[in-house]
Amino acid sequence: MTDTITRGADAAPAGGSPDGRAPRPDPRAEARRIRRIAFSQRLSRWDFRLSPYLYISPFFILFAVTGLFPLLYTAVVSVHEWHLIGGQGDFVGLDNFAWVLGQDRFWLAMRNTFSIFLVSSVPQVIFALIIAAALDQNLRARTFWRMGVLLPYVVAPVAVSLIFTNMFGDQYGVVNNVLTSLGIEPIRWHADTLSSHLAIATMVNFRWTGYNALILLAAMQAIPRDYYEAAQIDGASKLRQFLSVTIPSLRPTLIFVIITSTIGGLQIFDEPRMFDQYGQGGASGQWMTITIYLYNLGWGQLDFGKAAAVAWLLFLLIVVFGILNYLISQRIASADAPRARRRKKEVAR
């Protein structure tokens, strides 16, 4: 009996049915397997489509919290009466904007801001271009020189302002002492409008010229050397190569530097704030900028509604300048495209 059972078990195929037929697949297991494959494919598609957005989302979430929300909240404050302790007051609509635009000190601050911006940004870009061209040469210890031009950028703005404020002191400043020793009348750096703007622009240029020079240097090193070789074969001098090859190739980067300089110049605060011990922009507002005017309204007069209106006017001004710079850059880029194609064809020949 035992023998019969053992033979019967040995006769059945391993893993198969006793009658020798192939086992039927379980329909439910097959359905689960198909669902798993479909779900894996769906996950793969989601990963392919959504991963880039997830990677950049931390920046936008942080920007929404620290940038967009304060911006919208400032818009709400600007159309209300707002007090430091009492908080939100009555809704006043655009009255705060109308009041700000009717103030002489607002337009004085606007004039000072544009004046300091012009006397700082224009020489800053020119000097940055010259420094970048010098650093692009085959210098010894060029890493040292490149790091050296960046050092002023890492100095705290308050420290820079204190140093230069002492240098531009009206009575005991280093600059006036040097001028007096040369027989030149001392300059009233804090009393005269243009002199104070030049002194503040010097602080700004000291900090930002090296930073912009490194940006321009990176763009210079991306210019194909074939252009310079073709220019040398044509007999172009170094100056001619710089004017005809380097400058046109740097136009997009130059526009970027100009845009960032414009935004920074319109928001300038630390240097004029620290130019004297009072921080009000001068006795008659000689160097009072928009940001100092905003600060005085908010934390001096505790009128946050009007200060928020100034902040929004400054924001709109920056947006207008940004759009103008974008349109100009687009126009220059479209004008440069045919020239670039012709230059590549000439090099290819």
Side-chain angles (χ1 to χ4, degrees):
M1 182 66 179
T2 308
D3 252 52
T4 308
I5 293 172
T6 306
R7 281 197 300 273
D10 290 343
S17 59
D19 58 0
R21 295 178 182 175
R24 289 184 179 180
D26 184 0
R28 288 181 295 181
E30 185 69 16
R32 285 197 297 271
R33 190 177 69 84
I34 292 174
R35 283 200 298 270
R36 280 199 299 271
I37 293 174
F39 183 67
S40 299
Q41 291 177 345
R42 199 177 300 123
L43 278 180
S44 178
R45 286 198 298 271
W46 288 348
D47 179 55
F48 180 76
R49 292 178 180 175
L50 299 179
S51 291
Y53 299 101
L54 291 177
Y55 294 148
I56 63 173
S57 61
F59 166 78
F60 288 98
I61 293 173
L62 189 63
F63 171 76
V65 174
T66 61
L68 187 60
F69 173 73
L71 186 66
L72 298 177
Y73 192 77
T74 304
V76 174
V77 174
S78 67
V79 293
H80 289 84
E81 290 183 354
W82 207 281
H83 306 283
L84 178 63
I85 299 176
Q88 182 176 346
D90 297 332
F91 178 78
V92 295
L94 298 178
D95 288 353
N96 286 332
F97 291 90
W99 184 88
V100 168
L101 292 174
Q103 297 299 307
D104 293 336
R105 289 183 71 80
F106 171 77
W107 295 107
L108 176 65
M110 185 76 77
R111 183 207 67 181
N112 292 339
T113 302
F114 277 102
S115 175
I116 295 173
F117 160 68
L118 287 176
V119 298
S120 62
S121 295
V122 174
Q124 182 185 132
V125 173
I126 294 174
F127 284 124
L129 200 56
I130 295 172
I131 292 172
L135 292 175
D136 195 35
Q137 304 303 313
N138 191 19
L139 299 175
R140 289 185 178 181
R142 54 187 174 185
T143 303
F144 169 78
W145 298 114
R146 291 173 184 177
M147 293 301 296
V149 299
L150 193 61
L151 281 180
Y153 177 70
V154 301
V155 180
V158 175
V160 174
S161 302
L162 290 174
I163 294 170
F164 277 86
T165 298
N166 289 322
M167 288 179 62
F168 289 107
D170 290 339
Q171 294 183 351
Y172 306 107
V174 176
V175 178
N176 274 348
N177 286 337
V178 172
L179 293 176
T180 304
S181 65
L182 295 175
I184 302 173
E185 287 292 323
I187 299 174
R188 302 191 306 166
W189 295 107
H190 289 77
D192 295 339
T193 300
L194 182 59
S195 302
S196 62
H197 293 182
L198 289 173
I200 294 170
T202 305
M203 302 181 205
V204 177
N205 291 337
F206 173 76
R207 286 197 67 231
W208 290 99
T209 301
Y211 175 82
N212 289 327
L214 287 186
I215 294 176
L216 294 172
L217 174 63
M220 283 183 185
Q221 292 183 333
I223 299 174
R225 297 299 162 182
D226 297 343
Y227 295 169
Y228 294 102
E229 292 174 3
Q232 285 177 350
I233 293 173
D234 291 342
S237 64
K238 288 288 185 183
L239 179 61
R240 185 65 179 174
Q241 292 177 30
F242 181 75
L243 296 176
S244 300
V245 177
T246 305
I247 296 294
S249 301
L250 287 179
R251 279 181 181 174
T253 309
L254 277 172
I255 291 168
F256 169 77
V257 170
I258 291 170
I259 290 174
T260 53
S261 299
T262 302
I263 295 173
L266 294 177
Q267 294 177 335
I268 185 172
F269 179 77
D270 296 329
E271 290 85 356
R273 172 78 175 169
M274 299 295 296
F275 193 52
D276 66 354
Q277 64 269 35
Y278 304 108
Q280 301 296 314
S284 56
Q286 305 96 301
W287 64 87
M288 180 182 64
T289 59
I290 290 287
T291 50
I292 291 182
Y293 180 65
L294 187 158
Y295 182 86
N296 291 339
L297 275 178
W299 296 103
Q301 304 177 17
L302 300 181
D303 196 338
F304 292 100
K306 295 182 175 64
V310 176
W312 257 90
L313 289 173
L314 177 61
F315 171 73
L316 294 176
L317 186 67
I318 292 173
V319 170
V320 169
F321 269 83
I323 293 174
L324 285 176
N325 282 318
Y326 174 76
L327 294 176
I328 293 172
S329 62
Q330 288 292 103
R331 189 177 181 84
I332 291 175
S334 60
D336 279 348
R339 297 178 189 172
R341 284 196 294 269
R342 286 199 300 269
R343 193 180 303 128
K344 287 182 180 178
K345 288 180 181 178
E346 291 173 2
V347 172
R349 290 173 187 168

